[in-house]
mmCIF file of all heavy atoms in Angstrom:
data_model
loop_
_atom_site.group_PDB
_atom_site.id
_atom_site.type_symbol
_atom_site.label_atom_id
_atom_site.label_comp_id
_atom_site.label_asym_id
_atom_site.label_seq_id
_atom_site.Cartn_x
_atom_site.Cartn_y
_atom_site.Cartn_z
ATOM 1 N N GLN F 1135 -5.012 8.247 -5.670
ATOM 2 C CA GLN F 1135 -4.255 9.195 -4.781
ATOM 3 C C GLN F 1135 -3.188 9.666 -5.657
ATOM 4 O O GLN F 1135 -2.649 9.157 -6.568
ATOM 5 C CB GLN F 1135 -3.890 8.571 -3.524
ATOM 6 C CG GLN F 1135 -2.931 7.397 -3.641
ATOM 7 C CD GLN F 1135 -2.506 6.824 -2.403
ATOM 8 O OE1 GLN F 1135 -1.754 7.377 -1.606
ATOM 9 N NE2 GLN F 1135 -2.898 5.599 -2.114
ATOM 10 N N GLY F 1136 -2.593 10.922 -5.136
ATOM 11 C CA GLY F 1136 -1.457 11.440 -5.793
ATOM 12 C C GLY F 1136 -1.256 12.892 -5.370
ATOM 13 O O GLY F 1136 -1.824 13.355 -4.361
ATOM 14 N N LEU F 1137 -0.628 13.626 -6.103
ATOM 15 C CA LEU F 1137 -0.377 15.128 -5.884
ATOM 16 C C LEU F 1137 -1.145 15.814 -6.816
ATOM 17 O O LEU F 1137 -1.237 15.606 -8.066
ATOM 18 C CB LEU F 1137 1.141 15.451 -6.078
ATOM 19 C CG LEU F 1137 2.152 14.749 -5.209
ATOM 20 C CD1 LEU F 1137 3.546 15.288 -5.425
ATOM 21 C CD2 LEU F 1137 1.821 15.116 -3.781
ATOM 22 N N ALA F 1138 -2.036 16.864 -6.392
ATOM 23 C CA ALA F 1138 -3.045 17.411 -7.152
ATOM 24 C C ALA F 1138 -2.379 18.351 -8.313
ATOM 25 O O ALA F 1138 -1.430 19.078 -7.887
ATOM 26 C CB ALA F 1138 -3.936 18.324 -6.352
ATOM 27 N N GLU F 1139 -2.813 18.171 -9.504
ATOM 28 C CA GLU F 1139 -2.417 19.077 -10.613
ATOM 29 C C GLU F 1139 -3.597 19.966 -10.895
ATOM 30 O O GLU F 1139 -4.456 20.095 -10.086
ATOM 31 C CB GLU F 1139 -1.998 18.180 -11.785
ATOM 32 C CG GLU F 1139 -0.834 17.247 -11.460
ATOM 33 C CD GLU F 1139 -0.360 16.385 -12.544
ATOM 34 O OE1 GLU F 1139 -1.055 16.426 -13.709
ATOM 35 O OE2 GLU F 1139 0.621 15.675 -12.574
ATOM 36 N N GLU F 1140 -3.572 20.601 -12.092
ATOM 37 C CA GLU F 1140 -4.615 21.582 -12.397
ATOM 38 C C GLU F 1140 -5.981 20.768 -12.516
ATOM 39 O O GLU F 1140 -7.048 21.463 -12.282
ATOM 40 C CB GLU F 1140 -4.216 22.270 -13.740
ATOM 41 C CG GLU F 1140 -3.085 23.213 -13.592
ATOM 42 C CD GLU F 1140 -2.805 23.910 -14.832
ATOM 43 O OE1 GLU F 1140 -3.519 23.638 -15.808
ATOM 44 O OE2 GLU F 1140 -1.882 24.784 -14.854
ATOM 45 N N THR F 1141 -5.920 19.560 -12.939
ATOM 46 C CA THR F 1141 -7.189 18.837 -13.083
ATOM 47 C C THR F 1141 -6.973 17.376 -12.498
ATOM 48 O O THR F 1141 -5.912 16.985 -12.527
ATOM 49 C CB THR F 1141 -7.758 18.711 -14.527
ATOM 50 O OG1 THR F 1141 -6.637 18.099 -15.286
ATOM 51 C CG2 THR F 1141 -8.058 20.086 -15.103
ATOM 52 N N ILE F 1142 -7.980 16.816 -12.007
ATOM 53 C CA ILE F 1142 -7.941 15.386 -11.536
ATOM 54 C C ILE F 1142 -9.189 14.699 -12.202
ATOM 55 O O ILE F 1142 -10.319 15.093 -12.084
ATOM 56 C CB ILE F 1142 -8.234 15.319 -9.992
ATOM 57 C CG1 ILE F 1142 -7.007 16.036 -9.284
ATOM 58 C CG2 ILE F 1142 -8.227 13.909 -9.538
ATOM 59 C CD1 ILE F 1142 -7.124 16.012 -7.829
ATOM 60 N N ARG F 1143 -8.835 13.591 -12.916
ATOM 61 C CA ARG F 1143 -9.845 12.805 -13.596
ATOM 62 C C ARG F 1143 -10.588 11.988 -12.446
ATOM 63 O O ARG F 1143 -10.014 11.270 -11.716
ATOM 64 C CB ARG F 1143 -9.243 11.812 -14.543
ATOM 65 C CG ARG F 1143 -10.147 10.784 -15.029
ATOM 66 C CD ARG F 1143 -11.284 11.423 -16.019
ATOM 67 N NE ARG F 1143 -10.692 12.135 -17.212
ATOM 68 C CZ ARG F 1143 -11.407 12.615 -18.107
ATOM 69 N NH1 ARG F 1143 -12.697 12.629 -17.960
ATOM 70 N NH2 ARG F 1143 -10.866 13.273 -19.078
ATOM 71 N N MET F 1144 -11.964 12.189 -12.452
ATOM 72 C CA MET F 1144 -12.705 11.526 -11.439
ATOM 73 C C MET F 1144 -13.373 10.300 -11.880
ATOM 74 O O MET F 1144 -13.606 10.111 -13.156
ATOM 75 C CB MET F 1144 -13.781 12.518 -10.878
ATOM 76 C CG MET F 1144 -13.243 13.709 -10.215
ATOM 77 S SD MET F 1144 -12.340 13.317 -8.601
ATOM 78 C CE MET F 1144 -13.698 12.778 -7.583
ATOM 79 N N PRO F 1145 -13.680 9.383 -11.004
ATOM 80 C CA PRO F 1145 -14.419 8.054 -11.472
ATOM 81 C C PRO F 1145 -15.822 8.375 -12.070
ATOM 82 O O PRO F 1145 -16.326 9.542 -11.790
ATOM 83 C CB PRO F 1145 -14.576 7.245 -10.260
ATOM 84 C CG PRO F 1145 -13.534 7.861 -9.277
ATOM 85 C CD PRO F 1145 -13.432 9.306 -9.635
ATOM 86 N N ASN F 1146 -16.413 7.561 -12.769
ATOM 87 C CA ASN F 1146 -17.759 7.808 -13.348
ATOM 88 C C ASN F 1146 -18.875 7.457 -12.471
ATOM 89 O O ASN F 1146 -19.966 7.178 -12.903
ATOM 90 C CB ASN F 1146 -17.861 7.108 -14.703
ATOM 91 C CG ASN F 1146 -17.700 5.620 -14.568
ATOM 92 O OD1 ASN F 1146 -17.517 5.114 -13.466
ATOM 93 N ND2 ASN F 1146 -17.791 4.824 -15.703
ATOM 94 N N THR F 1147 -18.626 7.503 -11.118
ATOM 95 C CA THR F 1147 -19.557 7.165 -10.100
ATOM 96 C C THR F 1147 -19.512 8.245 -9.062
ATOM 97 O O THR F 1147 -18.491 9.044 -9.091
ATOM 98 C CB THR F 1147 -19.491 5.831 -9.489
ATOM 99 O OG1 THR F 1147 -18.115 5.766 -8.978
ATOM 100 C CG2 THR F 1147 -19.673 4.686 -10.562
ATOM 101 N N LEU F 1148 -20.350 8.274 -8.063
ATOM 102 C CA LEU F 1148 -20.284 9.179 -6.885
ATOM 103 C C LEU F 1148 -18.910 8.892 -6.207
ATOM 104 O O LEU F 1148 -18.657 7.672 -6.039
ATOM 105 C CB LEU F 1148 -21.417 8.923 -5.980
ATOM 106 C CG LEU F 1148 -22.776 9.553 -6.293
ATOM 107 C CD1 LEU F 1148 -23.790 9.044 -5.373
ATOM 108 C CD2 LEU F 1148 -22.591 11.081 -6.196
ATOM 109 N N ALA F 1149 -18.228 9.931 -5.949
ATOM 110 C CA ALA F 1149 -16.915 9.794 -5.296
ATOM 111 C C ALA F 1149 -16.608 10.978 -4.416
ATOM 112 O O ALA F 1149 -17.245 12.048 -4.572
ATOM 113 C CB ALA F 1149 -15.858 9.524 -6.316
ATOM 114 N N ILE F 1150 -15.743 10.752 -3.480
ATOM 115 C CA ILE F 1150 -15.437 11.817 -2.489
ATOM 116 C C ILE F 1150 -13.908 12.206 -2.793
ATOM 117 O O ILE F 1150 -13.069 11.376 -2.831
ATOM 118 C CB ILE F 1150 -15.534 11.268 -1.118
ATOM 119 C CG1 ILE F 1150 -16.932 10.944 -0.799
ATOM 120 C CG2 ILE F 1150 -15.069 12.385 -0.091
ATOM 121 C CD1 ILE F 1150 -17.273 10.019 0.387
ATOM 122 N N LEU F 1151 -13.729 13.555 -2.960
ATOM 123 C CA LEU F 1151 -12.337 14.084 -3.139
ATOM 124 C C LEU F 1151 -11.967 14.707 -1.900
ATOM 125 O O LEU F 1151 -12.683 15.625 -1.407
ATOM 126 C CB LEU F 1151 -12.402 15.063 -4.360
ATOM 127 C CG LEU F 1151 -11.111 15.764 -4.620
ATOM 128 C CD1 LEU F 1151 -9.999 14.843 -5.046
ATOM 129 C CD2 LEU F 1151 -11.323 16.819 -5.824
ATOM 130 N N LYS F 1152 -10.689 14.443 -1.535
ATOM 131 C CA LYS F 1152 -10.136 15.131 -0.383
ATOM 132 C C LYS F 1152 -8.673 15.676 -0.718
ATOM 133 O O LYS F 1152 -7.895 14.868 -1.211
ATOM 134 C CB LYS F 1152 -10.041 14.357 0.870
ATOM 135 C CG LYS F 1152 -9.575 15.112 2.162
ATOM 136 C CD LYS F 1152 -9.504 14.202 3.345
ATOM 137 C CE LYS F 1152 -9.262 15.087 4.620
ATOM 138 N NZ LYS F 1152 -7.967 15.785 4.432
ATOM 139 N N ILE F 1153 -8.486 16.971 -0.549
ATOM 140 C CA ILE F 1153 -7.100 17.464 -0.818
ATOM 141 C C ILE F 1153 -6.509 18.207 0.343
ATOM 142 O O ILE F 1153 -7.214 19.008 0.938
ATOM 143 C CB ILE F 1153 -7.247 18.507 -2.011
ATOM 144 C CG1 ILE F 1153 -7.894 17.872 -3.275
ATOM 145 C CG2 ILE F 1153 -5.785 19.094 -2.368
ATOM 146 C CD1 ILE F 1153 -7.997 18.891 -4.435
#
Side-chain angles (χ1 to χ4, degrees):
Q1135 59 180 290
L1137 298 179
E1139 299 181 356
E1140 293 183 357
T1141 60
I1142 297 174
R1143 172 67 63 181
M1144 297 295 293
N1146 58 3
T1147 58
L1148 280 170
I1150 298 161
L1151 172 65
K1152 185 179 188 305
I1153 304 179

